[in-house]
Amino acid sequence: MLISQYAGVGEFCPQFEVETASGGSLSAGNFYFSFQLQNRAGFNRPSVSGQVTYTANQKIVIIIPEMPDGWDVHYFVISAGTTNNAATHVQIARIPAYQYGIGIEPQSVKTLLPAVLELTRNIHIALAPSVPDLGSLPTGADRLDGQVRWVTSEAKWYEDRADSTLAPIPGNTDIYNPDSLPYGRWVRIGGASTYVSDTRQGVGSDRAIASVNPITRVPNPRYPGETLSKYLPAWEAKYWIYNDNAIALPAGTEFGVELEYNNQRSPDLLSGLVYVKFIGFVDGDGNIRTQDGEGREFPNCGAYFLWTPKLVTPFVTIDDLQPGEAIALAIKPFFSAAEFNIKDVIGVFPVTRSQSGDYNPLGLLLSSTQAVGGVVLDIGSRYRVVPNLGLSFDVLSGIPLVGSYNPPEQPRRTFGNLQPSTAGQKIVINGNGAVYAESPSYVRTASEGIRAIVGTQAGESVAASWNSYTAIASGQSIQMTLAYPCDANGYGTVRSDYPDVLAGNNKGFFNPYSVNIYLQRQDTLEIRRFSGNLVVAGTSQIITLTSWASGVVDTLPTADNDFSLFAPGNVAIATSIGGSFPVTGYRATYSFVYDGNQITKISHASPPCVYEWEGDFQPPTISIGTVTALETGENPTVVNSGTSNQAIFDFGIPKGDAGDPPTILAGQITSVPPFAPPSFSFTPTGFPGEYLINLEIPRGIQGLRGFQGEQGEQGIPGSPPILLSGQISSLPPFEKPAVSFTPTGTLGEYYVNFALPRGLQGPPGYQGEQGERGIQGIAGNVTSAAGALILDDSSATTVTLTSDQAAIRNINGELILQNYPDVRSEVGDRTVPAKLFLLSILR
C-alpha cells in the first residue's frame, strides 16, 4: 500500500560520536547513551553507544553528524542509562534541528551540522531525577534543553524546551518559566522515555498521518494570523507518499495533495491558498532521486506551484516509484487571516490518483476511429510541442481527449527529460493532462497517446542564400550581421516550409547552438567555413572575421527536409579595420549548428501521433464557396476549403461550347454516418446546361447536454379552488380508496367525495403490568486519583478518575476521560491564540 506520512528520518538513528575530554566537573562514572531523531510524527529507533567511562573533572562531548538531505529532522534526542538496553534509557538532552531566536522564523533555518553538545556537570547526566517543587527545577548553566524532571509537588513530568514559542502564562503550572526569559521554559510531558521499537506504532516517526495524535506531534510553526495580507512563510512542511508495496508504483501516476477545511474535503474553497513543491523520490536512507534510469530529470521538480487542482495537474511520475521509495513533497500556506474564521483548521494530505481527468463519452468514438489513443481538441494552442532551450520542451495550452478522459484546459508548461543525440523520442500524454518524454522504443498504453515525435540529433542546417560580393581592401576585416528568425524575447519563427503543423509557428524558443559562416572569394571562388560562433538569441547577431585562415569546403551543407526548425536569414557585410584578408571581393552565408543537446526535429503527424480535431462538435455544415469557370471539356471539380466538419465547397465548372452558362439546381440531400467525408454528384436534368447537385452530408454526433436555463418569472397566482365536504362512503375491506370531485355549480367550487375501505376488526390488546419503581442512588464522594490531570480546576463538576487516566478538555471545551495517549502525551501547549492556523490536522 501507499502510506501518506510526514517526511521521515529513517528507521534507525545514525550513531552519534561520543568522546570524553578534560575541562568538566563530572564525577567518575560510566554510562551508555542512545540517540534518536524526531520528525513531526515522532521518533525513530535508537542507536546505542558503547559504554562511556569518564573520570573526575572530565566532560562528555557528543558530536551530531550531518544528516541526509531527504530526511526532515526536527530534533536530535540524547538519552542515557546504566545499561545498553535503550528501553531503560531516559532523555537527558535534545538539540533542535532548526535555529530559533528573536528574528528567526521557526523551522526556516537549519542548525549547522556537525553540532556539538557538552555534558560538563553531574546535573547534566542525571537520569530524570525528582525535584520537590517547581522552584527546584534546574536553572542557568545547570539546565539543558531537553532535560526531564519529575516534580513531586505537582506529580507531573516536565521537560525544558529552549525553542518554545509559547507565551508564559502567569499562574499556569503547565507552562512554567522559572527564569522569566522569552525562550526556554518547562513544559508538562507524559514521561521521560522516548524509546520506540516500531516506527509505525506508538510515537514512531513513520506513522500514517491519519494515525498521528495531535497532542504528541511536533506542532507546525505559527502562521501569522494577525495580518490581513497574504503571507508566504520561510518554513515548509514536508510529506512523503511511501511505497510500502512489494511492486513498483508505475510511471504516469498523478500525485499531489488534498486539502481539508474543518475536516471536510474542500478543493474549491482552498484552491490557490497553498503552494506545493515536488522534491523528488526519496529512499529510506534519505537519498533524493530526481532522475529516471535513463538520466532524464523529473518534470516540475524543485519549484513551488500554486495548488489549483481543478485547473492544473503539475505532478505526474515519469518513472516507477520503487518499493521502499517515497514521493517527497513540501507545502507552504499562502492566505490571509481575513479568508478564514477563528479556529478554522486546514488539513493537508498527500495523495496519488491514477485518473483525474473527466470522463468524456466522445472519447470512445474518437479514439476508436483514429486508432491513436485520442484527439487534441481545437482549443488554445492544441497542446502542440515546441522547443525550449537545451533538452527541454514546452507543451502549449489546450485540452487532450485521451483514453476517453480529458482534463481541464492546461496552460503552457515546460518539461525536460529528453535524451541527447537521439532520434524518434516520444512525447506521451494522457487524460490526466500529464506529459512526459519516453524513448523511441516505448509502447504507449491504452490510456495514453503520443503527442509528438522529437529528435535531438546533432548536425548542421542548410545554408542561406549567398549575399552579393563586397570588396575587401588590404588590412580590412569582414563584419557580418546575421539576421535571425527570432524576436527580442528569444522566440523563434519555425520556417514556413517545415513539414509539420508547426510551420510558421512563433511560440517555441530559438535554439541553435552555434553558426557556421561560409565565405567565398570572388577571384578564385574558393569557399571556406568558419566555425565555433555561439548563437546569441535575438533579431540579429554581429560576427567579425579578421583572417582568411580556415578550412576549405567544396559545397554548402545539405540536410534532411525536417532537420532544424529554423532557417538562416540574410547576411549583411560591412568592412572594418584590423584584418588580413587577401584583397578581393567576398560574399557570405551561414548555417545553424546543433551539438545534440537541442531539439532538431518535431513531428505531430497522425499516425502515430494523436489527431488534431478541426472545429468544435457542432453538427456538420456545408456552404458554397467560390465558383470558377474551367475550360471547355475539362471535368467539373469541387474542393473543400473548410474543415471536415464545416465544409466550404469551391466549385470548378467547365465552360460550355458557346452556350449559356450551366444552371445548378438543388438535387437530393442524403445523410451518411458521422465523420464520413461529405461528397457531391451532378445529375443532368435533361435540359442542356442544367444540372442537379446532389449532396451527401455526414450526420452530426449527438452534442453534449446544454446547461439548464434560468428559471422563468413567476406567473400571476390564480384564485384557489374552494373544496367542500361531499359524500363519504364505505368500501369492502382491502379495496382501493377513491376520491372524486363534483362541481357545486358555482365557478371554482367543488364537492370532495371519498370512498374508503372498511378495516378489519382487530382483537383487543393485553394490558401491560405496572413496572416497579427504581431505587434512588446514593450520592458518591468526589475523588481524584493520584497523578490525575484535571485541566479545568474552576469547573463546578469533578470527575472520579482511575489510575493512569486523565481528564482533558478538547478544542471544543468538552471534557474527555482517557488513558495517557502514549509516553509523550502533552497537553500544556494545546491552548492557542486567536487567528492561529495549523497547517496539518491529523485524523
Side-chain angles (χ1 to χ4, degrees):
M1 62 179 177
L2 297 175
I3 301 176
S4 296
Q5 62 181 71
Y6 288 116
V9 288
E11 183 179 3
F12 285 93
C13 180
Q15 185 71 254
F16 297 176
E17 184 178 345
V18 184
E19 300 175 348
T20 59
S22 59
S25 59
L26 297 177
S27 301
N30 55 73
F31 269 125
Y32 292 88
F33 293 92
S34 59
F35 313 108
Q36 290 171 278
L37 305 177
Q38 183 180 6
N39 66 353
R40 293 182 187 274
F43 305 87
N44 63 0
R45 298 176 65 180
S47 61
V48 182
S49 72
Q51 187 178 54
V52 177
T53 301
Y54 50 93
T55 59
N57 298 321
Q58 281 192 319
K59 61 183 178 182
I60 299 172
V61 179
I62 298 176
I63 302 173
I64 300 171
E66 295 184 1
M67 295 289 146
D69 292 336
W71 286 353
D72 186 29
V73 183
H74 283 248
Y75 293 98
F76 305 100
V77 179
I78 296 96
S79 299
T82 57
T83 71
N84 63 356
N85 182 3
T88 65
H89 291 190
V90 295
Q91 180 177 305
I92 62 170
R94 71 174 190 172
I95 294 180
Y98 290 93
Q99 298 180 29
Y100 60 92
I102 297 174
I104 301 177
E105 189 169 346
Q107 298 182 20
S108 62
V109 181
K110 285 189 175 183
T111 298
L112 185 63
L113 298 178
V116 177
L117 172 67
E118 292 189 349
L119 308 175
T120 60
R121 305 177 178 210
N122 288 330
I123 197 172
H124 292 166
I125 56 175
L127 301 181
S130 300
V131 295
D133 50 41
L134 295 172
S136 302
L137 289 168
T139 62
D142 288 341
R143 185 174 61 179
L144 284 179
D145 184 9
Q147 272 182 333
V148 178
R149 294 293 184 269
W150 173 262
V151 180
T152 303
S153 64
E154 305 295 321
K156 301 171 184 176
W157 288 104
Y158 284 85
E159 176 187 70
D160 180 74
R161 296 186 176 177
D163 63 342
S164 175
T165 57
L166 295 173
I169 301 177
N172 187 334
T173 57
D174 290 341
I175 306 173
Y176 181 67
N177 181 6
D179 296 342
S180 299
L181 297 175
Y183 295 93
R185 68 204 67 216
W186 292 87
V187 177
R188 195 185 74 192
I189 60 173
S193 172
T194 60
Y195 176 77
V196 295
S197 60
D198 185 348
T199 58
R200 298 188 184 181
Q201 303 293 328
V203 289
S205 57
D206 293 325
R207 289 177 292 163
I209 286 179
S211 68
V212 176
N213 187 336
I215 293 176
T216 65
R217 69 179 178 84
V218 179
N220 288 321
R222 294 172 180 263
Y223 190 78
E226 68 276 4
T227 176
L228 295 180
S229 61
K230 287 180 177 291
Y231 174 76
L232 191 65
W235 53 265
E236 60 186 15
K238 295 180 180 179
Y239 298 84
W240 282 5
I241 304 174
Y242 181 77
N243 184 9
D244 196 38
N245 295 301
I247 59 175
L249 178 71
T253 301
E254 179 194 350
F255 61 91
V257 298
E258 286 189 354
L259 303 176
E260 278 192 356
Y261 176 65
N262 291 340
N263 298 318
Q264 297 293 327
R265 290 289 195 269
S266 302
D268 294 321
L269 177 65
L270 300 174
S271 180
L273 299 184
V274 171
Y275 276 93
V276 182
K277 177 176 68 175
F278 172 39
I279 298 173
F281 290 178
V282 180
D283 63 20
D285 294 328
N287 301 309
I288 300 176
R289 180 164 70 95
T290 60
Q291 295 181 336
D292 66 5
E294 298 180 359
R296 299 174 300 176
E297 292 291 333
F298 291 163
N300 297 338
C301 186
Y304 271 104
F305 290 84
L306 193 61
W307 192 247
T308 52
K310 287 199 170 183
L311 299 178
V312 180
T313 307
F315 303 128
V316 176
T317 59
I318 69 160
D319 194 21
D320 294 346
L321 182 72
Q322 299 300 324
E325 282 190 320
I327 299 171
L329 299 168
I331 313 294
K332 283 179 183 282
F334 184 61
F335 50 82
S336 67
E339 294 178 275
F340 297 97
N341 299 317
I342 297 175
K343 294 185 179 180
D344 282 344
V345 179
I346 292 178
V348 178
F349 299 89
V351 293
T352 62
R353 288 185 290 181
S354 59
Q355 181 61 60
S356 63
D358 296 325
Y359 176 73
N360 190 331
L362 292 177
L364 292 175
L365 174 62
L366 299 179
S367 296
S368 62
T369 56
Q370 299 305 325
V372 290
V375 298
V376 173
L377 306 185
D378 189 8
I379 295 174
S381 295
R382 301 192 181 190
Y383 235 54
R384 289 174 176 169
V385 176
V386 297
N388 202 304
L389 300 179
L391 293 171
S392 62
F393 61 93
D394 285 1
V395 174
L396 303 180
S397 64
I399 297 179
L401 176 51
V402 180
S404 297
Y405 289 87
N406 64 263
E409 182 174 358
Q410 302 294 299
R412 177 177 181 147
R413 293 171 291 166
T414 300
F415 301 90
N417 314 310
L418 291 173
Q419 295 300 299
S421 303
T422 304
Q425 298 177 74
K426 298 173 181 177
I427 308 303
V428 178
I429 62 176
N430 63 24
N432 290 328
V435 179
Y436 37 94
E438 292 291 354
S439 66
S441 61
Y442 181 78
V443 178
R444 69 173 182 86
T445 66
S447 62
E448 296 174 328
I450 299 172
R451 185 63 192 102
I453 304 295
V454 173
T456 57
Q457 303 97 307
E460 183 178 5
S461 74
V462 298
S465 300
W466 292 105
N467 67 348
S468 301
Y469 284 107
T470 299
I472 304 298
S474 177
Q476 287 186 326
S477 60
I478 298 178
Q479 186 180 78
M480 290 166 293
T481 301
L482 312 182
Y484 290 158
C486 180
D487 65 15
N489 296 317
Y491 290 96
T493 300
V494 178
R495 54 189 171 93
S496 59
D497 63 345
Y498 192 75
D500 187 70
V501 293
L502 289 181
N505 185 292
N506 62 355
K507 299 182 182 298
F509 282 91
F510 182 63
N511 69 342
Y513 175 70
S514 64
V515 294
N516 282 341
I517 296 174
Y518 295 88
L519 289 181
Q520 185 176 39
R521 289 178 58 159
Q522 190 173 11
D523 56 353
T524 65
L525 299 183
E526 182 181 65
I527 302 173
R528 295 195 177 186
R529 179 176 60 208
F530 298 83
S531 303
N533 303 287
L534 298 181
V535 167
V536 177
T539 57
S540 62
Q541 182 177 356
I542 297 175
I543 296 176
T544 300
L545 300 178
T546 60
S547 171
W548 179 239
S550 190
V552 178
V553 296
D554 295 328
T555 59
L556 295 179
T558 60
D560 294 338
N561 190 36
D562 62 347
F563 183 85
S564 179
L565 281 74
F566 305 104
N570 298 325
V571 181
I573 290 182
T575 60
S576 184
I577 61 173
S580 60
F581 281 92
V583 177
T584 184
Y586 295 87
R587 65 176 182 175
T589 184
Y590 73 95
S591 65
F592 292 128
V593 178
Y594 302 86
D595 68 353
N597 290 292
Q598 303 84 27
I599 292 176
T600 51
K601 293 185 178 183
I602 296 180
S603 173
H604 293 85
S606 178
C609 301
V610 295
Y611 176 70
E612 290 191 358
W613 181 257
E614 297 288 345
D616 53 25
F617 290 98
Q618 298 300 318
T621 62
I622 293 180
S623 59
I624 303 300
T626 62
V627 178
T628 304
L630 304 178
E631 294 299 325
T632 302
E634 291 188 31
N635 294 323
T637 63
V638 62
V639 176
N640 181 9
S641 59
T643 68
S644 59
N645 207 42
Q646 281 78 42
I648 301 174
F649 287 153
D650 298 327
F651 292 96
I653 302 175
K655 298 176 184 179
D657 293 331
D660 296 329
T663 301
I664 304 299
L665 302 176
Q668 292 183 341
I669 300 177
T670 57
S671 64
V672 296
F675 307 109
S679 63
F680 77 99
S681 63
F682 292 97
T683 304
T685 64
F687 293 95
E690 188 175 80
Y691 299 89
L692 296 175
I693 180 170
N694 308 305
L695 303 178
E696 290 187 344
I697 304 173
R699 294 190 301 275
I701 60 177
Q702 182 175 341
L704 301 178
R705 184 176 180 179
F707 295 103
Q708 181 175 341
E710 297 181 357
Q711 181 174 347
E713 297 182 358
Q714 181 174 350
I716 300 174
S719 301
I722 300 174
L723 303 179
L724 303 176
S725 176
Q727 294 182 344
I728 301 176
S729 57
S730 65
L731 300 174
F734 307 112
E735 286 197 17
K736 185 177 181 181
V739 63
S740 63
F741 297 88
T742 305
T744 65
T746 302
L747 181 64
E749 189 175 80
Y750 300 88
Y751 288 114
V752 182
N753 308 306
F754 297 94
L756 305 175
R758 295 189 302 276
L760 298 177
Q761 180 174 350
Y766 295 99
Q767 179 175 348
E769 297 180 0
Q770 179 174 348
E772 296 182 1
R773 182 176 181 179
I775 301 174
Q776 180 174 346
I778 301 174
N781 296 325
V782 177
T783 62
S784 175
L789 310 179
I790 307 299
L791 293 187
D792 190 354
D793 295 335
S794 64
S795 174
T797 304
T798 60
V799 181
T800 299
L801 307 177
T802 62
S803 177
D804 296 325
Q805 280 190 325
I808 300 177
R809 290 195 181 275
N810 63 19
I811 193 170
N812 297 317
E814 300 166 337
L815 192 64
I816 300 172
L817 293 183
Q818 64 176 37
N819 293 327
Y820 285 145
D822 47 59
V823 297
R824 300 296 297 169
S825 66
E826 161 194 326
V827 297
D829 54 0
R830 290 304 91 202
T831 302
V832 295
K835 300 292 184 178
L836 171 62
F837 297 91
L838 300 181
L839 176 64
S840 296
I841 175 172
L842 308 163
R843 298 181 292 187

